[in-house]
Amino acid sequence: MGRRKGEPEKAPNHERWLITYSDLITLLMIFFVLMYTISNVNAKKFAQLSSSMSEALLGEKSGSFVGEAPGPMLVDTGQTAAGAKTEAASMEGALKELEKYIKEKGLEGKVEVGQEERGLVISLKEALLFRIGSADLTPEARNVVGDVGQVLAKMPNNIRIEGHTCNLPINTSRYPSNWELSTARATNVVRYLVTQVGLKPEMLSATGYGEFRPIVPNTSEQNRVKNRRVDIVVLKSLLNIAEPGKDNQVIIVE
């Protein structure tokens, strides 16, 4: 209906935008309240996960840790605090025994031993184990690998043998590349530990890295000598969950 004659025109309402603005503020407030609620719940869950990780890595209660595939989860490693302490003592004892052996046999520079996050690592240099371009163990190598194996036989841990070369290429009928050479060397060490020392084959694995895991840059012959090696890695039990054929309880935290 049109405006009557003589009726004064109403002034426009310039504050109508406040209605839309107040609706927007209300929706934003609801959104942030929901976000805060969700984050508060996740904080509690992740606090529990953090506690579980501390128990596993620091040995306070029981063995478990957090994984992220595809989301947060709790993985039971089956290792108790007492078990973790026993394993740490076993690793330390083996380290000291091997250091004493290296010193007594005058193997400094040929055999190195140390502890890493993944476990105990015994590094055997190529000059001790093999002739250049060969994967056959030398007589001296058999003695050293046998002695080291006797120390490792006392431990229940999985053992990974890792073959490494320098970056000098190889192309023979037997070893077309450093991949084949490094893998063959690792496999031969595994075979000797099983057949001559008596280590359980299910506890051993062999892998070859070729020239792609150097410990120093391959910029000189001195450095290349250091990179040509076989590492015997005594893996911590915590890493057993990554091994195939292991039964581990996985609890997904939603």
Side-chain angles (χ1 to χ4, degrees):
M1 182 180 295
R3 182 172 58 85
R4 294 178 183 180
K5 269 187 177 184
E7 185 178 342
E9 187 175 354
K10 293 182 179 179
N13 185 357
H14 295 291
E15 298 182 353
R16 292 180 62 181
W17 63 271
L18 289 173
I19 299 174
T20 304
Y21 178 75
S22 61
D23 289 341
L24 177 62
I25 294 298
T26 303
L27 290 173
L28 285 174
M29 183 183 69
I30 294 172
F31 172 75
F32 284 116
V33 168
L34 288 173
M35 291 295 293
Y36 174 78
T37 304
I38 293 171
S39 65
N40 194 38
V41 172
N42 285 344
K44 292 179 181 178
K45 290 181 178 179
F46 277 98
Q48 294 173 351
L49 297 177
S50 176
S51 176
S52 298
M53 177 179 282
S54 297
E55 292 170 6
L57 300 180
L58 302 178
E60 293 177 358
K61 289 186 180 179
S62 60
S64 56
F65 76 96
V66 179
E68 293 187 13
M73 63 182 176
L74 189 61
V75 182
D76 184 6
T77 65
Q79 188 181 43
T80 63
K85 291 180 180 179
T86 300
E87 181 178 71
S90 177
M91 292 268 188
E92 184 65 25
L95 174 65
K96 291 181 179 179
E97 187 173 352
L98 289 169
E99 286 177 338
K100 180 181 178 182
Y101 169 78
I102 292 169
K103 186 175 181 180
E104 289 178 348
K105 297 294 182 178
L107 295 173
E108 295 90 345
K110 295 182 179 180
V111 181
E112 296 177 357
V113 60
Q115 291 209 58
E116 298 180 3
E117 187 175 355
R118 56 184 176 157
L120 181 66
V121 180
I122 304 102
S123 187
L124 310 173
K125 303 306 176 182
E126 178 197 53
L128 170 70
L129 295 179
F130 313 101
R131 295 180 179 87
I132 294 178
S134 171
D136 298 325
L137 290 168
T138 65
E140 184 182 10
R142 295 189 185 97
N143 292 333
V144 174
V145 172
D147 292 339
V148 171
Q150 293 296 335
V151 176
L152 304 184
K154 306 170 188 176
M155 308 177 72
N157 303 71
N158 288 337
I159 300 172
R160 180 184 298 141
I161 312 300
E162 301 174 347
H164 300 269
T165 68
C166 67
N167 65 341
L168 295 179
I170 184 173
N171 187 1
T172 66
S173 58
R174 191 170 185 182
Y175 307 115
S177 73
N178 283 324
W179 288 113
E180 283 85 359
L181 178 60
S182 62
T183 302
R185 287 177 168 180
T187 302
N188 284 344
V189 172
V190 167
R191 183 182 294 114
Y192 192 86
L193 289 172
V194 172
T195 60
Q196 303 301 317
V197 183
L199 269 63
K200 297 179 180 179
E202 63 269 22
M203 305 298 289
L204 295 166
S205 61
T207 185
Y209 289 112
E211 68 266 31
F212 301 105
R213 299 289 179 89
I215 54 177
V216 292
N218 284 295
T219 53
S220 66
E221 180 57 25
Q222 183 179 4
N223 282 5
R224 285 190 284 269
V225 168
K226 294 178 181 179
N227 289 328
R228 297 195 291 262
R229 68 198 191 279
V230 169
D231 290 341
I232 301 176
V233 185
V234 184
L235 297 168
K236 291 182 179 179
S237 298
L238 186 63
L239 300 180
N240 284 347
I241 61 160
E243 297 294 323
K246 298 294 181 181
D247 295 326
N248 294 287
Q249 182 182 5
V250 179
I251 305 171
I252 303 297
V253 180
E254 299 178 351

